[in-house]
Amino acid sequence: LPLASSLLIVLAAFTKRAQLPFSRWLPAAMAAPTPVSSLVHSSTLVTAGVYVLVRFRGHLVGRNLMLAAGAATMVAAGLAGLMEDDFKKMVALSTLSQLGLMMSCLGLGGFQITFYHLLVHAYFKALMFMATGRAIHSSGDC
């Protein structure tokens, strides 16, 4: 791939995976009902960016940028999650932190471990959102 195409693919993955400059939309998506949030966060939206970067692994440039953005996203989302009061937003910020970890692994060249983490994350996060919805519903705060 040409350099410009590779950089545009990385930029598209940054916006799709909600990396640090583009991360404001992910916790805001929690206004949706819990099953919708589970689908959005675990299997479709945010994981598509990971899959695209894994598929284009031989053609990517800017790995130092991916490493730096991933590390910054991981730390910022972790700290924001510590300050959050809303249960669903807290889970969304943990998703964002895990996406930062995956981006850091991609920046280091760990494509296979990133893909494995993507699969494990999808199952775990779907179950976590379902448990979150059950806890919110049981508390009567819905």
Side-chain angles (χ1 to χ4, degrees):
L1 286 174
L3 178 65
S5 297
S6 181
L7 286 175
L8 287 174
I9 288 171
V10 171
L11 179 65
F14 268 43
T15 59
K16 191 69 162 169
R17 292 184 55 194
Q19 292 303 305
L20 193 58
F22 309 106
S23 61
R24 301 282 299 175
W25 68 268
L26 190 63
M30 292 293 89
T34 303
V36 176
S37 301
S38 174
L39 181 66
V40 165
H41 286 276
S42 67
S43 60
T44 54
L45 272 179
V46 294
T47 56
V50 178
Y51 185 72
V52 165
L53 289 179
V54 169
R55 292 291 294 175
F56 282 99
R57 65 182 168 268
H59 305 288
L60 293 178
V61 297
R63 287 203 181 146
N64 290 335
L65 177 65
M66 284 192 272
L67 178 63
T73 301
M74 191 173 18
V75 170
L79 291 174
L82 289 173
M83 304 299 170
E84 187 60 53
D85 291 333
D86 186 18
F87 200 29
K88 285 174 66 176
K89 286 185 181 181
M90 190 182 314
V91 175
L93 288 166
S94 76
T95 299
L96 192 57
S97 177
Q98 293 300 305
L99 290 171
L101 175 66
M102 287 186 238
M103 183 65 92
S104 296
C105 288
L106 284 173
L108 292 171
F111 297 103
Q112 290 178 341
I113 193 69
T114 301
F115 188 69
Y116 175 74
H117 190 269
L118 168 76
L119 296 176
V120 170
H121 177 264
Y123 291 123
F124 174 76
K125 202 55 78 163
L127 291 172
M128 183 181 269
F129 267 103
M130 291 299 153
T132 300
R134 177 72 177 145
I136 290 171
H137 184 70
S138 295
S139 71
D141 193 28
C142 47

